[in-house]
Amino acid sequence: MATRKVRVGQKFYYRPNLFDIVKGPGTLKQGDHVQVVNLYGCPPANTMGMCYVKRVDVDEKFAGMVCTNSLSETAD
């Protein structure tokens, strides 16, 4: 299965895959609106199919690292 490529600044809805359900950030819930960010001193987005995200609508705070396949463009 190919991993999704994301760019810093893109906004998505969080829909966790199995890996993120088991090991993902506990602060995010399915359907949360998130934005991809890069952190200083950390690997850039898309490294090993992972990226860092922050919440957009709630508090603009860092939420954690998620699989890029857990990000969806639609709110379904």
Side-chain angles (χ1 to χ4, degrees), residues 1-65:
M1 178 179 187
T3 60
R4 168 190 293 275
K5 293 286 185 179
V6 297
R7 291 186 315 267
V8 173
Q10 275 185 304
K11 295 179 181 177
F12 294 99
Y13 292 95
Y14 180 65
R15 299 189 65 200
N17 62 12
L18 182 60
F19 181 82
D20 281 338
I21 290 171
V22 175
K23 294 280 190 181
T27 59
L28 286 176
K29 295 183 224 108
Q30 183 166 339
D32 282 352
H33 199 207
V34 297
Q35 182 176 14
V36 178
V37 296
N38 273 344
L39 301 177
Y40 179 77
C42 297
N46 299 312
T47 302
M48 295 180 69
M50 306 291 281
C51 67
Y52 295 100
V53 295
K54 70 175 183 177
R55 273 188 230 123
V56 176
D57 295 335
V58 180
D59 53 9
E60 292 284 326
K61 290 191 178 182
F62 174 72
M65 185 167 68

